[in-house]
Amino acid sequence: MQQIQETGAGREAGIDPIALEVLRHKLDGIANEMETTLLRSSFSPIVKEGLDASASIFTLSGETLAQACAVPIHLATLIPVVQAMLKIFPVEAMQDGDIYLMNDPYLGGTHLPDIAVVAPVFGDEGNPIAIVATMTHHQDVGGMSPGSIPTNATEIFQEGLRLPPLRLYRAGVLNQDLVDIVRLNVRMPDMLMGDLHAQVAACSIGAQRLAAAQASLGPVTLQQAFMALLDHSERMTADALRMLPQGTYRATGWLDNDGVNLDVRVKIEVAVTVGDGVFHVDFTGTSKQVDGPFNCVASGSQAASYFAIRALTSPDIPTNGGCFRNVTLTLPPRSIVNPDPPAPVCSRTATIKRITNTILSAFNAVLPDRVGADSAATLLAVAFGGEDADGERFVVGELIAGGSGASQFGPGASCIETDATNCMNYPVEALELAAPIRVNRVELRTNSGGAGLHRGGMGLRKEFEILGDRVTTTYRGEGHFHQAAGAFGGEAGAVAEGYILRGGDREDIKSKTVITLRKGDRLVIETPGGGGWGRA
């Protein structure tokens, strides 16, 4: 509240700064209530346990007003999603009860499992006042492998059902034709529809709460307050950027491979310029778009850059679209950060995390109080699919983290998501209830964090034993060939390892594979550790 009063937020619009701060927290509360509704109403373990879903509130022009405490990739990519919706369905043509959906990465989405649901909010007088949106990672949307994250895909058509902006509801009436098409093209239709209806419920809650806010403040004051909040965050972000060391900072990061060419490393090159309140990220020198699904559409590259600016500036700045007005990007065409369709993109999370880590690494020498050693920047995704002993189909996925980098303030955190993701480690029971798989052990991977004055965070070791006859398994790893670098004399973290035990034989995984496992086979995962900080 002190910062709002000192900078005079809202005074230009004649709005009391304290009332504006109350509204700002009200909007954050609405977004978080949407998120809670989403998580508690969903069907799939990846949402209920993994928390892989997000919610946001937008202005009628498509700028973020408030975000839930959720997944940064989702929250940032919802911005171009809403803007794409508005191009197809302008506000003037929207009706109360309309709800839209899409997942097309080349129209603003991220990858096909992330389906966005967007709805206009109408006030008591029948006029639109805002837009609410949710994004959920759906456990399966079809494609060539269960879980819809095939690491060997070579075009987007192999990755699942692709949906442009479409009406799910028109004035409160469900589009059953669309539902029928979706159900026919996914492996777990009841699960998908359960999660989709949870998204609709979350949007409904958001709409109710925003309509109540307008009834309290009035339509004109509410819209003025929205603009004042955005302008205030823009000014605060620009001021924070001016306090950083001005200049251009460079860093290079590497992906293990593209999932198809397993012995070819993929480069992320960034030059980040901070100057006069602007944050520009230039990706010139980054690898060309690749054959496999580790291409990252422009919205994902934008999400990584948005996360970085929030990490480098003050946490006291309210997070909304005003923060992102100060970010510009140079995205070389037909590169891994800006591919052309129909390039596959389903594994873009690994690329976004590597981009984010690389941007932050560019600053670890000049901002040691904000940026520590490199994190593992890994979100190992595993998907299992097949039929259980009763002939029932199952698809279940899991997200497994590595270690964060140490800093001048202390050791890195172990087995935690860093960068632009924010999901949770699964309870063993959740996986074992959903699939014929036994988890034999889960433990911290000793000595995987880089040594130093402060140790890097440790990775995780986890062993899955297959109990069914035939389970199709996707292993999307990262950090098998490149370590998380230490800082100020700290040592690098350990690389990842993955292997399959069949009887007495061991089969190593080159970070990505889609493979069939049979009864008695064991999949062992060892995620990488974070870099250490300082000389021991």
Side-chain angles (χ1 to χ4, degrees):
M1 186 179 299
Q2 174 117 12
Q3 188 70 51
I4 293 279
Q5 290 174 316
E6 288 176 352
T7 56
R11 285 179 183 161
E12 298 90 338
I15 303 170
D16 175 61
I18 295 177
L20 192 65
E21 182 74 347
V22 170
L23 176 62
R24 195 258 292 186
H25 285 286
K26 176 67 173 177
L27 294 174
D28 288 345
I30 294 171
N32 282 313
E33 186 178 1
M34 291 172 63
E35 178 76 3
T36 300
T37 302
L38 183 55
L39 299 178
R40 292 185 176 180
S41 303
S42 292
F43 281 36
S44 65
I46 202 164
V47 179
K48 293 188 298 183
E49 305 289 354
L51 313 188
D52 200 351
S54 304
S56 289
I57 303 170
F58 292 82
T59 66
L60 294 174
S61 62
E63 283 195 276
T64 304
L65 279 170
Q67 300 176 336
C69 182
V71 182
I73 291 175
H74 287 173
L75 298 169
T77 52
L78 276 171
I79 299 170
V81 163
V82 170
Q83 292 168 350
M85 290 287 189
L86 291 173
K87 289 178 182 178
I88 304 298
F89 304 106
V91 171
E92 310 81 59
M94 291 179 175
Q95 303 178 65
D96 195 1
D98 283 357
I99 299 178
Y100 312 97
L101 62 70
M102 68 166 281
N103 72 348
D104 188 350
Y106 288 103
L107 291 177
T110 64
H111 67 166
L112 299 183
D114 284 345
I115 299 178
V117 171
V118 177
V121 179
F122 286 78
D124 291 338
E125 298 177 354
N127 295 318
I129 59 176
I131 293 169
V132 289
T134 60
M135 183 175 282
T136 287
H137 179 106
H138 288 264
Q139 191 65 82
D140 183 90
V141 292
M144 64 190 291
S145 66
S148 308
I149 52 168
T151 59
N152 55 349
T154 56
E155 55 182 3
I156 195 170
F157 307 112
Q158 298 169 324
E159 297 179 333
L161 182 63
R162 188 174 170 191
L163 300 166
L166 298 167
R167 280 191 180 91
L168 179 60
Y169 284 83
R170 183 193 293 267
V173 178
L174 179 65
N175 183 350
Q176 189 62 47
D177 291 342
L178 174 58
V179 171
D180 291 343
I181 291 171
V182 171
R183 290 184 62 92
L184 192 63
N185 284 277
V186 303
R187 293 177 177 85
M188 305 289 287
D190 290 343
M191 182 181 291
L192 184 144
M193 291 309 303
D195 286 358
L196 197 64
H197 287 310
Q199 292 182 256
V200 172
C203 287
S204 177
I205 286 291
Q208 292 175 40
R209 302 294 184 261
L210 285 164
Q214 176 175 283
S216 174
L217 290 174
V220 175
T221 301
L222 186 69
Q223 295 300 319
Q224 290 175 337
F226 288 169
M227 295 304 105
L229 288 170
L230 293 169
D231 292 344
H232 179 53
S233 288
E234 180 184 14
R235 288 193 298 270
M236 291 185 72
T237 301
D239 290 343
L241 288 171
R242 292 187 183 100
M243 295 175 66
L244 299 180
Q246 307 291 281
T248 299
Y249 305 96
R250 302 177 185 275
T252 302
W254 296 90
L255 292 168
D256 289 342
N257 51 58
D258 70 354
V260 173
N261 306 294
L262 298 182
D263 294 316
V264 179
R265 312 296 167 239
V266 180
K267 183 170 69 170
I268 304 294
E269 189 81 29
V270 300
V272 189
T273 300
V274 180
D276 195 25
V278 175
F279 187 86
H280 181 73
V281 186
D282 187 344
F283 290 91
T284 301
T286 293
S287 290
K288 296 296 184 183
Q289 69 183 58
V290 293
D291 294 333
F294 289 79
N295 298 293
C296 176
V297 291
S299 63
S301 304
Q302 176 180 284
S305 303
Y306 286 178
F307 177 89
I309 195 173
R310 293 301 295 119
L312 294 169
T313 55
S314 172
D316 295 330
I317 301 172
T319 301
N320 59 42
C323 301
F324 311 134
R325 293 171 177 173
N326 303 277
V327 180
T328 58
L329 306 178
T330 296
L331 297 171
R334 294 187 59 80
S335 68
I336 194 172
V337 295
N338 187 21
D340 283 349
V345 298
C346 69
S347 297
R348 95 287 178 240
T349 299
T351 308
I352 294 173
K353 289 179 71 65
R354 185 59 55 192
I355 293 170
T356 307
N357 192 76
T358 304
I359 294 173
L360 294 177
S361 294
F363 291 89
N364 62 11
V366 295
L367 292 173
D369 59 329
R370 300 191 188 187
V371 181
D374 284 358
S375 296
T378 294
L379 181 60
L380 192 154
V382 186
F384 302 100
E387 292 184 355
D388 62 21
D390 297 322
E392 295 292 327
R393 184 185 295 277
F394 69 87
V395 178
V396 63
E398 184 162 2
L399 308 169
I400 306 174
S404 72
S407 72
Q408 68 179 42
F409 303 107
S414 296
C415 192
I416 189 171
E417 291 202 21
T418 57
D419 318 307
T421 56
N422 193 27
C423 298
M424 296 292 289
N425 297 307
Y426 268 30
V428 167
E429 296 83 357
L431 179 72
E432 293 183 342
L433 284 170
I437 296 170
R438 178 189 298 126
V439 179
N440 289 331
R441 61 175 174 171
V442 183
E443 59 190 10
L444 291 176
R445 188 182 175 200
T446 307
N447 298 323
S448 57
L453 178 64
H454 298 302
R455 170 193 53 76
M458 291 180 282
L460 188 74
R461 181 181 290 110
K462 195 164 188 175
E463 181 182 305
F464 305 87
E465 182 178 353
I466 304 302
L467 305 180
D469 292 331
R470 179 185 176 92
V471 176
T472 301
T473 303
T474 302
Y475 176 102
R476 190 192 75 195
E478 196 53 62
H480 283 235
F481 300 99
H482 295 279
Q483 299 167 280
F488 294 95
E491 296 183 15
V495 295
E497 289 191 48
Y499 52 94
I500 298 162
L501 298 175
R502 288 189 172 101
D505 297 329
R506 168 172 164 159
E507 178 183 330
D508 289 325
I509 298 171
K510 288 187 175 181
S511 86
K512 287 103 182 174
T513 190
V514 180
I515 194 167
T516 298
L517 299 179
R518 299 184 182 278
K519 188 172 184 177
D521 291 348
R522 289 175 289 157
L523 172 65
V524 181
I525 288 169
E526 298 184 358
T527 60
W533 193 94
R535 298 187 185 278

